Amino acid sequence: MANRLATSTSPYLQQHRDNPVDWYEWGEDAFAEARRRDVPLLISVGYAACHWCHVMAHESFEDQATALLMNRGFVSVKVDREERPDVDAVYMSATQAMTGQGGWPMTVFATPDGEPFFCGTYYPPRPVGGMPSFPQLLQAIGQAWTDQRHDVEHNATALRQALGSATPAGAGVPAPLAHEALEARTAAALDALTTQYDARSGGFGGAPKFPPSMVLEWLLRRNARTGDARALAMAEGTLEAMARGGMADQLGGGFARYSVDATWTVPHFEKMLDDNAELLRVYAHWWRATGSELARRVVEGSAGWLLREMRTPEGGFAASLDADTQGVEGLTYAWTPQDLVDVLGPEDGAWAADLFGVTPAGTFEHGTSVLELRADPGPDERARFDDVRTRLLAARDRRPQPGRDDKVVAAWNGLAIAGLADAGALLDRPEWVDAATAAAELLWSLHVREGESGPRLTRTSRDGVAGRSPGVLADYADVAEGYLALFSATGDPVWFERAGALLGTVLAHFRDDAGSFWDTADDETDAVLARLQRPQEIADGPSPSGPSATAGALLTYAMLSGSAEHREAAEHALDRPLAVSGRFPRATGWPLALAEAVLDGPREVAVVGQPDDPATHALVAAARAGLAPGAVVAVGTGAPPAPRTGGDAEAAARTAAGGGEDEHPVPLLRDRPLREGRPTAYVCRGFVCDLPVTEPEALRRSLGARTG
């Protein structure tokens, strides 16, 4: 018989619907039941693509005896960390404070009011290597709650106070960083990062290796602005190593979550939307900077994978694909030499085994290998290569497939919108931009509701039904970022306007008193979490932190709108992460990338001309090819204002006030006439513009676009 999770909108919670555990979702019902029974809360946090979450579920949560212990002694709460990042962040802070480390599954025991007193991660069904079994832990916690209640509550109080003291105290809004200070901080961060670079295998540090997307974006921008060869070498070395290793899906496109080794050979097979959205964008920018054919192939493969495997019927993008297939990690993706022969025949099978590094001993488990592409086939073998990949992918599609978490996460869809819009505009792939537009429309129609002070976001949806969790800072910022990228790709000002509305909500409800931003809104912070710690994550993870993402969206909006308030808020938000970037450059990649944009201006490019004029297209392509860090491109018609007719007093009043209907809704495009009737480009910094140009090559030169 299904438990309460059967009605959840989270696929991860739905995976536990048939557990014998009497699960609750996070919420007041669980806390009230714990208070009524006077028992602790057992809070289990995970996500659908997490391998060890599945392991613990199978070993413990599906076991009748273990479930009996949980049901008798606790009120058990299941949390999808992707649906409730606020809950995850607070209890992860507690877990790290108590144990010195963290991860998923996360296992937290708390008082009925939600105050944690014991935290951990995975626990086995039997004692292993000095680690107690999960049943032993349940019995020990239950006994302590009964016999040592005072000590338990004292520990909970002490941990709550420690978490509260870790929340940054307001010290006033800092002054915007002077350019000299920004130069010094970015230079120090580059020096520090250089010492961590793995020159042999690419990437930074040792195993496991995660794709450092934001750091790579910073390095590309750094090279574009300063010409620093170290930055480009580290970026290219890492981008190529990732693209050629087993973490990249050599058949279907996209990337797995991370590499378990230092050589990018064997991945942890889950495929996450946020990772792939970020990687799509940085590989597109690598192609823009260098013309790398490998970069272009990765972009096309990643975008194709997103549209083929991750789109939902409503037009959004699903959150992830599992690492496991039928309980076996990597089952869908691993090959033996005989597998290749069975699909391709002896000759092509042997050729493919050599090309993709499939050996009799195997590079993965049980004599299987993960496909790699350490070198491209020769030019005369390109057709054979494409044919082999097509046949292998078709055969792989006939295998059992990993599960898909098909909830739509607002923040991650915002990143996907930005990646597809940016890459689609750069590579002239309108179908990618169309997919981005469909996802953007879904978010606005389903995830956005109108609040008293502006639009409010819901974090997730599934099957066209909005979830119950309010959007966090990253949702607002990443969706705004996606909308601004979509405006740049399409020229449709509605996306600029919607981004501005979301950022207005951010400025009204997420600001702290030290110039940064909280991860939760002042009127939507969970009451239980508020007693512990209002979350505020400064460090980047797989995607930019909430404050960093907000700084990026605010900066882009400021460039398009001319708003000093948005520009100042962006620069204030960069102060804290950039202050530690010299020590932790890998955790501050996006703030460093934004710093390069600030140091460059950033550039604002307005192109005006009729949409169907080839000369307009040539100027727009030249503008998008520019390497100026963080530059924005706005496209309009440059048409003169339509003549006014009388009778509309309200419109006349707006015109008299300087805000008439004939003004473009995007200020960067206002008062941009065509020059001698020809499509024209204006390149500006801080709304101070160079002479307008009508020749694409002149525009390319002014924006540092590559030649040849």
Side-chain angles (χ1 to χ4, degrees):
M1 181 176 174
N3 56 39
R4 291 179 188 82
L5 303 186
T7 60
S8 173
T9 58
S10 162
Y12 173 62
L13 268 57
Q14 286 265 351
Q15 290 172 0
H16 297 79
R17 61 183 292 170
D18 294 319
N19 291 170
V21 178
D22 187 19
W23 290 113
Y24 282 76
E25 291 192 61
W26 176 270
E28 180 55 34
D29 287 352
F31 306 125
E33 180 65 7
R35 287 191 290 268
R36 185 187 71 79
R37 291 176 52 198
D38 191 28
V39 296
L41 295 161
L42 193 170
I43 303 168
S44 175
V45 184
Y47 59 104
C50 168
H51 171 69
W52 286 101
C53 299
H54 293 309
V55 171
M56 190 167 177
H58 176 66
E59 292 175 340
S60 296
F61 304 149
E62 296 173 10
D63 178 69
Q64 292 285 349
T66 304
L68 185 61
L69 288 173
M70 295 172 67
N71 294 339
R72 283 180 174 174
F74 306 89
V75 170
S76 298
V77 179
K78 208 55 169 114
V79 177
D80 181 345
R81 67 175 296 263
E82 296 168 354
E83 190 173 60
R84 294 302 304 255
D86 51 345
V87 176
D88 176 68
V90 170
Y91 286 115
M92 183 58 71
S93 294
T95 300
Q96 291 171 335
M98 182 168 285
T99 68
Q101 59 188 5
W104 300 276
M106 178 165 52
T107 306
V108 175
F109 295 89
T111 69
D113 291 328
E115 295 185 2
F117 59 85
F118 187 91
C119 305
T121 53
Y122 165 79
Y123 290 95
R126 292 171 296 280
V128 176
M131 180 185 295
S133 71
F134 191 53
Q136 286 177 326
L137 179 66
L138 294 172
Q139 291 169 339
I141 294 292
Q143 185 172 357
W145 181 258
T146 301
D147 299 339
Q148 299 170 284
R149 177 75 63 89
H150 179 269
D151 293 339
V152 168
E153 292 176 342
H154 176 77
N155 288 344
T157 300
L159 186 54
R160 172 173 52 79
Q161 292 172 345
L163 291 173
S165 66
T167 300
V173 177
L177 287 170
H179 274 215
E180 295 79 5
L182 278 179
E183 289 283 13
R185 289 184 178 181
T186 54
L190 186 67
D191 289 342
L193 186 69
T194 302
T195 67
Q196 302 170 25
Y197 180 61
D198 181 349
R200 178 186 297 272
S201 301
F204 304 93
K209 280 184 176 173
F210 290 79
S213 304
M214 287 79 71
V215 169
L216 297 174
E217 179 68 28
W218 166 48
L219 293 173
L220 291 176
R221 291 186 179 191
R222 179 78 178 178
N223 173 258
R225 187 179 70 84
T226 69
D228 193 308
R230 293 178 301 166
L232 184 60
M234 288 189 289
E236 288 203 286
T238 302
L239 287 162
E240 179 162 0
M242 291 193 303
R244 295 199 177 281
M247 194 182 78
D249 185 341
Q250 303 296 343
L251 301 181
F255 289 83
R257 178 70 187 88
Y258 62 88
S259 173
V260 301
D261 51 52
T263 59
W264 307 101
T265 299
V266 176
H268 186 51
F269 290 91
E270 66 198 50
K271 296 172 84 170
M272 310 296 294
L273 178 61
D274 56 342
D275 289 328
N276 281 281
E278 292 284 343
L279 287 164
L280 171 64
R281 206 174 190 188
V282 75
Y283 274 95
H285 293 171
W286 181 31
W287 173 82
R288 179 177 61 187
T290 67
S292 163
E293 181 56 33
L294 176 62
R296 184 180 187 116
R297 194 165 71 228
V298 169
V299 171
E300 291 173 341
S302 293
W305 172 76
L306 281 172
L307 270 61
R308 184 181 66 252
E309 297 192 31
M310 300 302 284
R311 291 193 82 181
T312 68
E314 298 76 30
F317 292 93
S320 64
L321 297 180
D322 287 357
D324 299 356
T325 302
Q326 296 181 342
V328 179
E329 187 174 5
L331 179 67
T332 301
Y333 303 102
W335 299 82
T336 66
Q338 187 60 48
D339 291 334
L340 299 180
V341 170
D342 290 344
V343 174
L344 303 171
E347 186 175 344
D348 281 349
W351 183 81
D354 181 64
L355 183 67
F356 289 119
V358 178
T359 66
T363 59
F364 179 43
E365 295 175 349
H366 312 299
T368 64
S369 296
V370 182
L371 301 189
E372 304 174 76
L373 187 68
R374 295 301 180 181
D376 287 337
D380 59 335
E381 295 180 308
R382 182 67 200 208
R384 186 183 191 185
F385 175 60
D386 291 341
D387 174 66
V388 161
R389 290 176 68 231
T390 298
R391 286 191 282 159
L392 288 176
L393 180 59
R396 195 181 79 180
D397 286 345
R398 292 191 292 270
R399 294 177 171 182
Q401 298 296 305
R404 188 175 85 156
D405 182 339
D406 55 2
K407 70 173 176 288
V408 172
V409 179
W412 300 359
N413 273 256
L415 295 173
I417 292 164
L420 287 166
D422 207 352
L426 276 172
L427 275 69
D428 194 21
R429 297 293 294 267
E431 70 273 24
W432 300 352
V433 179
D434 290 345
T437 303
E441 290 285 10
L442 174 71
L443 293 181
W444 192 259
S445 64
L446 183 60
H447 285 243
V448 173
R449 66 188 189 281
E450 195 58 38
E452 292 183 1
S453 56
R456 307 308 293 263
L457 267 172
T458 297
R459 178 160 173 85
T460 62
S461 68
R462 188 185 185 210
D463 297 332
V465 178
R468 295 186 287 270
S469 303
V472 297
L473 179 64
D475 294 305
Y476 286 85
D478 290 337
V479 173
E481 175 82 10
Y483 284 1
L484 292 169
L486 195 56
F487 162 69
S488 182
T490 66
D492 187 342
V494 71
W495 301 116
F496 167 80
E497 294 167 338
R498 289 175 177 178
L502 291 172
L503 292 174
T505 300
V506 168
L507 294 175
H509 291 287
F510 288 84
R511 267 176 156 166
D512 70 8
D513 56 2
S516 189
F517 296 89
W518 299 106
D519 284 331
T520 56
D522 54 9
D523 57 349
E524 291 186 328
T525 299
D526 187 284
V528 172
L529 303 182
R531 291 197 298 269
L532 301 172
Q533 179 190 61
R534 189 175 176 186
Q536 185 181 57
E537 181 58 68
I538 297 299
D540 291 341
S543 51
S545 71
S548 297
T550 300
L554 287 168
L555 184 62
T556 300
Y557 186 82
M559 292 152 63
L560 293 166
S561 67
S563 167
E565 178 189 11
H566 290 78
R567 170 89 185 217
E568 291 169 2
E571 294 192 16
H572 291 152
L574 292 176
D575 181 71
R576 285 183 59 203
L578 289 177
V580 299
S581 61
R583 288 181 292 153
F584 307 108
R586 290 156 62 186
T588 50
W590 193 237
L592 288 163
L594 296 174
E596 299 295 339
V598 170
L599 287 166
D600 191 65
R603 315 277 183 101
E604 303 134 359
V605 186
V607 179
V608 291
Q610 290 304 309
D612 56 355
D613 188 335
T616 304
H617 286 281
L619 279 177
V620 171
R624 289 172 176 158
L627 301 181
V632 297
V633 178
V635 181
T637 64
R644 282 207 163 273
T645 57
D648 189 339
E650 183 181 353
R654 285 199 301 270
T655 301
E661 291 178 338
D662 51 18
E663 286 194 341
H664 198 285
V666 180
L668 182 61
L669 288 169
R670 293 175 186 167
D671 302 316
R672 306 290 184 201
L674 277 67
R675 190 178 188 189
E676 299 176 353
R678 301 171 62 189
T680 305
Y682 296 80
V683 179
C684 314
R685 296 190 193 192
F687 279 73
V688 176
C689 298
D690 299 336
L691 289 174
V693 298
T694 57
E695 295 298 328
E697 283 307 311
L699 181 58
R700 290 174 67 91
R701 286 194 299 272
S702 73
L703 296 174
R706 61 180 168 86
T707 58

